[in-house]
Amino acid sequence: MVGIIMGSDSDLPIMREAIDILESFDIQIEVDIVSAHRTPEKLFEYSKNAHLRGVKVIIAGAGGAAHLPGMVASMSPLPVIGVPVKSRNSIDGWDSILSILQMPGGVPVATVALDGAKNAGILAAQIIGASDTCVLDKIITYKEGLKLKVEQASKRVKK
């Protein structure tokens, strides 16, 4: 199972891409809003107990100050993938990117591109696929599909 959390429901349109790609791989997900600043007790409970519910990877999306992924990583034994979200109060997304990317030693957060929730979902699936051959086969098929799309596009534009 992959836990997908975000700091606000305004992040859902971006995080939907992670939800959709994981569902396409038939990976069970749980989705919730967990605000690092407005619901710190919920953040602590989620971070410390997600692994007890069977969660294997956490994807955390956050905009603005973007403390959610790092705080989750500081308390959870699970891999955390941070999705910087360009929010309305953001400084072109740079505040989110740097808040998630610049973690201190010992508290890693894998960070994808600004609004890169689809890649976060794919990375989570790849992490799970390292020990689940069914998911691994779906990743291989997905990657082959990407290759085929490029080859088809190449044939259309090649002169």
Side-chain angles (χ1 to χ4, degrees), residues 4-41:
I4 300 173
I5 58 175
M6 61 208 84
S8 169
D9 62 350
S10 64
D11 300 330
L12 185 57
I14 297 298
M15 300 306 289
R16 168 74 45 205
E17 293 184 15
I19 294 166
D20 292 346
I21 194 74
L22 288 165
E23 286 179 340
S24 78
F25 293 137
D26 296 318
I27 295 174
Q28 185 182 359
I29 59 170
E30 64 174 29
V31 180
D32 203 355
I33 296 172
V34 179
S35 172
H37 303 106
R38 293 172 292 231
T39 59
E41 294 86 2

Side-chain angles (χ1 to χ4, degrees), residues 10-11 37-38 62-66 85-93 95-96:
S10 64
D11 300 330
H37 303 106
R38 293 172 292 231
V85 176
K86 185 176 180 184
S87 59
R88 64 179 168 77
N89 67 334
S90 178
I91 306 168
D92 278 339
D95 45 345
S96 303

Side-chain angles (χ1 to χ4, degrees), residues 48-72:
K48 291 182 179 213
N49 296 312
H51 69 286
L52 300 174
R53 291 190 311 279
V55 173
K56 302 297 184 204
V57 181
I58 298 171
I59 299 173
H67 292 121
L68 182 61
M71 289 301 297
V72 170

